[in-house]
Amino acid sequence: MTRKPWLLFALLLIMSYYRACFSIAGDTLSPGHSLSESDTVVSQGSKFELGFFKPGTSLKIYLGIWYKMFHEKIVWVANRENPLSHPSSSRLYLSENGNLFLFEGSSKIPVWSTNLTFPQSNITEAVLRDDGNFVLRDRSNTSTIFWESFDHPTDTWLPGAKLGIDKVTGKPQQFIPWKNSEDPSPGVFSFGLDPNGSNQHFLEWNRSQIYWSSGLWNATSLSSLSAGSIILNLSFVSSKNESESYFTYSLHNPSNLARFRIDQTGQIRALVWLPGVSVWDTIWSAPTNLSDVYALCGAFGVVQYPENFSNPCECLKGFEPFSMNYTRLNDWSGGCVRKFRLQCENNTHANVKKDWFMKISNMRLPVYSKEYLALNASRCELACMENCFCAAYAYNRSGCMIWEGAILNLLQLPYGGEIGQDIYLRLAADEYPESNTKGKKWKVWVAVLIPATGLILCLSICFSCKGKLKFICKCKCSNCIWKSL
Ligand SMILES: *[C@@H]1O[C@H](CO)[C@@H](O)[C@H](O)[C@H]1NC(C)=O
Ligand SMILES: *[C@@H]1O[C@H](CO)[C@@H](O)[C@H](O)[C@H]1NC(C)=O
Ligand SMILES: *[C@@H]1O[C@H](CO)[C@@H](O)[C@H](O)[C@H]1NC(C)=O
Ligand SMILES: *[C@@H]1O[C@H](CO)[C@@H](O)[C@H](O)[C@H]1NC(C)=O
Ligand SMILES: *[C@@H]1O[C@H](CO)[C@@H](O)[C@H](O)[C@H]1NC(C)=O
Ligand SMILES: *[C@@H]1O[C@H](CO)[C@@H](O)[C@H](O)[C@H]1NC(C)=O
Ligand SMILES: *[C@@H]1O[C@H](CO)[C@@H](O)[C@H](O)[C@H]1NC(C)=O
Ligand SMILES: *[C@@H]1O[C@H](CO)[C@@H](O)[C@H](O)[C@H]1NC(C)=O
Ligand SMILES: *[C@@H]1O[C@H](CO)[C@@H](O)[C@H](O)[C@H]1NC(C)=O
Ligand SMILES: *[C@@H]1O[C@H](CO)[C@@H](O)[C@H](O)[C@H]1NC(C)=O
Ligand SMILES: *[C@@H]1O[C@H](CO)[C@@H](O)[C@H](O)[C@H]1NC(C)=O
Ligand SMILES: *[C@@H]1O[C@H](CO)[C@@H](O)[C@H](O)[C@H]1NC(C)=O
């Protein structure tokens, strides 16, 4: 036991030596040089580190940037859609023609590259700066920047980076969360500037459905970020030139560590490192409520109520997650699928069973319904029943609504808040509720009947053998039984 601290110390020494051995000298990659899988580049102030990593249990390899202090906090990924798989032969290469290339094995085709054209060779160098920006710059004039990782964001917006327009496509740059905790490829949500040019930013689902907007910039601030402005100094920079309008931010106290990040839950958060308690604290997030994120839980999924940030989604009754990733990796984009096939999909004559509708109360109804002319609720039900694409219907004062295909963004409302409505969900006959409730009722009867009959029996035995019953507690049934025998 006493030897343990020494062992640990020795191990730490070996480990630091090991790392020192394999991280390349300094923050710069020069032309003709490459970075192998075991190497890293460390920024001058040791704040950020660039190198190869494997997320979670995945065997895939990505080139990324992370905080040197927190290896798991990845702020940028180069090849988020094109992972490498051979550690020993993966390398980042700065070619003499000036470009960065990510190669695997002996392949001449890069997995990823900066793809620029330069008039001469050997004029660039690649540097990881202490603000987390990986830049390709002119060796002879380091203020000339040809390419920077800040212009190609992943999911993290660091202080000093721009939230603006992509110089190549002319469209807003987008911050996009990882698909799941082990897959950096782009998820379904995104965060970026208004494509129409106004000075506000949006959160979108499927690159089209806006579910949150920051509100317009009013020359000094955004009202939606007032809570964060004690620590963050957000500003909107705009010139007559459209392509030069962007948001950026700095920290009132430059020694703080802070970042904006769009999560897999579709929320944008401002996180600040609190060294005293060693946690990344969320000082601001939008939308505040998970239920305001559009279609968070995918097709036929609902946000749990009360909200559970570590496990927010569940499938509707009769449905199960499309893949294990739903709960294992918090990847809800695949949504839920039916446990049993609908009867209407089975046209055989032998099929006599019918689909049925389950009533779900107090829901916020999904958008994109089809209006249907029906005189009453049963006509509305019939209309849905006869259309095998119809997954649910609702009938209220405004009439009959039906939903075809996958149902997205169905929300269970808390009781006592906003007034919800009833929706009727189509389920297969095999999903019939009777079997379940029957089982439950039977159990309830057993639980009540057995003790009740026992008590009655005992009392009657007591009563008959002693003749006088003063109080149940005083009556020793075991004695009674013996005597009565
Ligand atoms: C490089 O850019 C050219 C056009 O500028 C394009 O045709 C080519 O596909 C790009 N290559 C890569 C690897 O992105
Ligand atoms: C570029 O630099 C490398 C060494 O860093 C050198 O071997 C090579 O000849 C140079 N190429 C040109 C075209 O200057
Ligand atoms: C270096 O680059 C900057 C920005 O591109 C430019 O303004 C400056 O004149 C250049 N300096 C020299 C010495 O070429
Ligand atoms: C589940 O996640 C893993 C890791 O990202 C991925 O390889 C796999 O394709 C996913 N499965 C489905 C069904 O989406
Ligand atoms: C952008 O402008 C188009 C055309 O004016 C309009 O249809 C669209 O709704 C606008 N989008 C936003 C997000 O304001
Ligand atoms: C997402 O958008 C694409 C087109 O941009 C569309 O084809 C696709 O159906 C949409 N996905 C869903 C689930 O609606
Ligand atoms: C902008 O909004 C902030 C707070 O939301 C307010 O204090 C300020 O007066 C507003 N400025 C202008 C110019 O409207
Ligand atoms: C916030 O940033 C802007 C632009 O970078 C700067 O002009 C301003 O002085 C900063 N405000 C504070 C309070 O630091
Ligand atoms: C806007 O600025 C970019 C470079 O920052 C330039 O290439 C472009 O010509 C400018 N456009 C206008 C309309 O001034
Ligand atoms: C979040 O949900 C709570 C409880 O349902 C509600 O009181 C609150 O107003 C919601 N917040 C927002 C910003 O919608
Ligand atoms: C959230 O879900 C996790 C995993 O299912 C569970 O362990 C935890 O107790 C839940 N938290 C709340 C507040 O319900
Ligand atoms: C169709 O229904 C019949 C009778 O219920 C059943 O035996 C058969 O397996 C079903 N076919 C399919 C493809 O589900």
Side-chain angles (χ1 to χ4, degrees):
M1 283 309 272
T2 47
R3 252 182 268 160
K4 237 183 173 175
W6 285 106
L7 209 85
L8 232 149
F9 184 67
L11 240 157
L12 271 172
L13 256 177
I14 292 166
M15 269 166 71
S16 57
Y17 175 72
Y18 185 87
R19 277 240 73 92
C21 246
F22 285 98
S23 65
I24 69 159
D27 58 354
T28 308
L29 193 63
S30 310
H33 286 78
S34 59
L35 187 77
S36 76
E37 202 256 348
S38 50
D39 297 333
T40 63
V41 172
V42 176
S43 70
Q44 201 145 43
S46 285
K47 225 168 163 182
F48 289 96
E49 189 168 23
L50 174 139
F52 294 91
F53 71 96
K54 282 183 200 160
T57 60
S58 171
L59 296 175
K60 292 170 180 164
I61 302 160
Y62 299 88
L63 177 75
I65 299 174
W66 53 86
Y67 289 95
K68 181 133 178 54
M69 229 169 112
F70 319 101
H71 278 212
E72 74 285 8
K73 305 288 182 224
I74 313 282
V75 298
W76 182 74
V77 182
N79 54 327
R80 64 187 304 188
E81 286 178 89
N82 306 302
L84 305 162
S85 40
H86 300 103
S88 55
S89 63
S90 302
R91 64 204 168 95
L92 174 70
Y93 177 62
L94 180 58
S95 80
E96 285 161 20
N97 81 11
N99 279 301
L100 283 164
F101 292 98
L102 200 54
F103 285 116
E104 182 169 41
S106 55
S107 173
K108 290 278 186 293
I109 300 158
V111 166
W112 172 85
S113 83
T114 47
N115 203 17
L116 303 168
T117 37
F118 296 99
Q120 289 161 279
S121 11
N122 281 355
I123 63 166
T124 63
E125 63 181 7
V127 178
L128 178 62
R129 295 204 310 212
D130 217 29
D131 57 1
N133 196 5
F134 187 46
V135 302
L136 192 62
R137 67 185 184 192
D138 191 337
R139 289 170 87 187
S140 51
N141 178 359
T142 55
S143 46
T144 305
I145 288 171
F146 302 117
W147 178 94
E148 52 190 319
S149 63
F150 272 8
D151 283 344
H152 306 271
T154 307
D155 63 348
T156 305
W157 182 23
L158 290 170
K162 293 171 184 175
L163 175 67
I165 305 291
D166 189 304
K167 282 171 194 149
V168 178
T169 63
K171 290 183 179 149
Q173 279 171 350
Q174 295 196 308
F175 291 77
I176 300 176
W178 289 24
K179 192 165 186 305
N180 62 48
S181 47
E182 294 186 353
D183 183 357
S185 66
V188 74
F189 302 109
S190 59
F191 173 65
L193 215 57
D194 179 2
N196 284 1
S198 80
N199 54 16
Q200 59 184 327
H201 40 256
F202 295 139
L203 282 168
E204 287 179 335
W205 172 84
N206 199 24
R207 318 286 180 263
S208 56
Q209 176 91 34
I210 296 169
Y211 59 89
W212 179 83
S213 77
S214 65
L216 291 170
W217 175 259
N218 81 349
T220 52
S221 68
L222 278 178
S223 52
S224 61
L225 192 74
S226 53
S229 58
I230 306 150
I231 294 168
L232 315 170
N233 175 15
L234 189 74
S235 50
F236 184 70
V237 180
S238 142
S239 64
K240 289 279 176 285
N241 190 332
E242 283 286 299
S243 68
E244 272 303 298
S245 301
Y246 57 88
F247 279 96
T248 189
Y249 72 103
S250 57
L251 303 172
H252 293 306
N253 177 356
S255 66
N256 277 340
L257 285 182
R259 62 198 160 108
F260 278 93
R261 176 172 183 262
I262 177 165
D263 277 354
Q264 277 158 247
T265 58
Q267 293 169 302
I268 179 95
R269 290 173 192 282
L271 297 146
V272 173
W273 173 249
L274 304 177
V277 281
S278 296
V279 289
W280 281 96
D281 187 35
T282 301
I283 57 164
W284 172 86
S285 71
T288 329
N289 288 350
L290 282 176
S291 56
D292 292 329
V293 175
Y294 188 80
L296 173 64
C297 299
F300 301 108
V302 281
V303 175
Q304 284 195 42
Y305 190 82
E307 285 178 358
N308 183 336
F309 286 85
S310 64
N311 186 27
C313 289
E314 61 189 5
C315 293
L316 287 168
K317 185 186 149 55
F319 291 80
E320 61 194 358
F322 168 68
S323 98
M324 294 262 290
N325 294 352
Y326 200 78
T327 44
R328 194 175 75 87
L329 299 174
N330 282 358
D331 182 353
W332 309 288
S333 55
C336 308
V337 290
R338 288 186 189 280
K339 287 184 194 159
F340 297 100
R341 277 187 56 180
L342 288 177
Q343 246 50 53
C344 65
E345 293 170 10
N346 184 346
N347 286 325
T348 53
H349 286 296
N351 187 17
V352 289
K353 290 186 274 186
K354 282 198 86 178
D355 296 329
W356 61 288
F357 290 98
M358 182 181 67
K359 176 178 169 180
I360 316 175
S361 299
N362 204 34
M363 303 301 280
R364 191 195 294 167
L365 300 182
V367 288
Y368 306 130
S369 62
K370 270 196 178 173
E371 304 298 319
Y372 196 86
L373 271 176
L375 289 173
N376 54 39
S378 52
R379 287 286 179 84
C380 189
E381 177 175 329
L382 193 67
C384 187
M385 185 62 94
E386 285 179 344
N387 171 2
C388 199
F389 295 112
C390 178
Y393 76 90
Y395 186 85
N396 59 22
R397 260 175 283 131
S398 53
C400 173
M401 286 169 276
I402 66 170
W403 286 269
E404 291 182 343
I407 297 186
L408 291 168
N409 209 38
L410 188 62
L411 282 179
Q412 177 74 62
L413 294 171
Y415 286 88
E418 191 183 333
I419 305 298
Q421 301 191 32
D422 295 341
I423 190 169
Y424 294 84
L425 182 71
R426 181 188 212 122
L427 290 176
D430 293 328
E431 196 60 53
Y432 215 62
E434 221 81 323
S435 55
N436 284 333
T437 46
K438 250 184 200 164
K440 265 186 197 158
K441 273 181 189 163
W442 186 75
K443 276 180 195 161
V444 168
W445 276 111
V446 167
V448 172
L449 271 179
I450 289 179
T453 42
L455 186 70
I456 290 167
L457 251 167
C458 181
L459 277 176
S460 55
I461 292 168
C462 276
F463 200 69
S464 62
C465 73
K466 287 232 169 155
K468 49 174 184 176
L469 177 69
K470 281 179 186 169
F471 197 63
I472 301 166
C473 299
K474 287 188 180 174
C475 175
K476 285 187 180 167
C477 274
S478 53
N479 286 350
C480 293
I481 293 163
W482 273 118
K483 280 180 186 171
S484 65
L485 278 172

